[in-house]
Amino acid sequence: MAQQVAYRMESVPVRGGELRVGVWGDDGPVLVAVHGITSSHLAWTLIGPELGRDHRVVAVDLRGRGGSRDLPGPYGMAEHAADIAAVVRAYADAPVPLIGHSMGGFVVAETARRFPELVERLILVDGGAPLPLPPGIDASAGPAALEEAIATTVGAVFARLNMTFPDRDAYLALWRQHPSFDPWPEGADAYLDYDLVGEEPRMRAACRMEAAVRDGQDLYALPGMTPAPLPRPAVFLRAPRGMFDDPDAPLYTPGRASEWLPGAAESDVPDVNHYTITLGRDGAAAVAAAVRAGTRWPR
């Protein structure tokens, strides 16, 4: 019989209010997990219960998303790093591993740079190394150009933040058209059910557009940026297929992460895209294995 892992939602005091977190497990080393740009803590809906068998997994809803959507701005990686530091201090009395998917990789990398004393190591899941600007985007044009870059990279997933839905089935129908969700990932139902706020017939995604727009500006390799090592050991798990399940358009080409984050150990997770690396069973197992491979057990 499979081990049942405790799950609960809690809150951590941060600037402007309380940050929502989901916690899997009661015992073992603390692990703090951070989701992507328009996501929530239930991006870890498969990984949390697995690692919760021998860890205490604390997965956040970032400011402007999920149960933390009403926390005020400003946003940006530095603000999120301060929130993650508060979470680590609330749950641990020693440095902990941080795991970040997509934009969450940037958040945990920034946390390690600003608060190295709180971080043991980093597990970056298809995120955290600066992304190339899409062709034709002029970074010197300022925030408007970066917003265009975000829309180009994330596409309809970003556009949904301005949409309303008459009910939950309509929201699921939008995602069922997404190539990365065919076949339907095992973790998608819980992830998407949590993502809606409001009442029928005007439901909407929980992530605030202004949070995603501001945060997205911190994800790109801009003129003058140079590669920089992280202050703590890091592994980078790459999804060979991208945002739209295209093997010819991964979010990261091979070697880019280790180029921009010298010293990070980069490896591929076979046969996953940017979503199924956490929401698919095979991807979740690979991420959990990478966490356990470097776990420092208490003496």
Side-chain angles (χ1 to χ4, degrees), residues 107-288:
V107 174
V108 301
E110 187 68 14
T111 305
R113 292 185 176 107
R114 290 176 177 267
F115 306 96
E117 73 280 4
L118 300 180
V119 180
E120 177 193 310
R121 58 193 170 90
L122 299 170
I123 302 94
L124 307 175
V125 184
D126 216 36
L131 294 166
L133 284 166
I137 302 297
D138 181 6
S140 65
L146 291 175
E147 183 175 347
E148 183 180 350
I150 298 164
T152 300
T153 303
V154 186
V157 176
F158 196 70
R160 86 185 193 284
L161 303 183
N162 279 331
M163 300 169 65
T164 58
F165 303 89
D167 52 38
R168 294 183 181 278
D169 288 342
Y171 191 56
L172 290 177
L174 174 73
W175 282 97
R176 289 188 185 281
Q177 299 171 30
H178 197 291
S180 285
F181 283 62
D182 182 20
W184 193 248
E186 187 171 343
D189 289 306
Y191 169 71
L192 294 174
D193 185 64
Y194 183 73
D195 192 45
L196 279 178
V197 295
E199 302 292 335
E200 298 180 2
R202 294 189 60 81
M203 306 187 82
R204 62 188 311 120
C207 177
R208 293 189 180 277
M209 176 66 85
E210 60 268 28
V213 169
R214 170 58 188 91
D215 289 343
Q217 296 171 23
D218 290 345
L219 309 186
Y220 294 93
L222 303 178
M225 291 179 62
T226 58
L230 293 163
R232 292 291 181 264
V235 296
F236 185 97
L237 305 180
R238 192 182 77 91
R241 305 200 304 270
M243 295 285 297
F244 301 99
D245 202 47
D246 186 349
D248 297 322
L251 197 63
Y252 289 93
T253 55
R256 182 174 180 87
S258 53
E259 174 189 353
W260 278 91
L261 303 173
E266 179 179 340
S267 63
D268 285 5
V269 178
D271 198 33
V272 298
N273 60 49
H274 185 68
Y275 290 97
T276 57
I277 198 170
T278 63
L279 290 175
R281 182 61 63 183
D282 291 343
V287 173

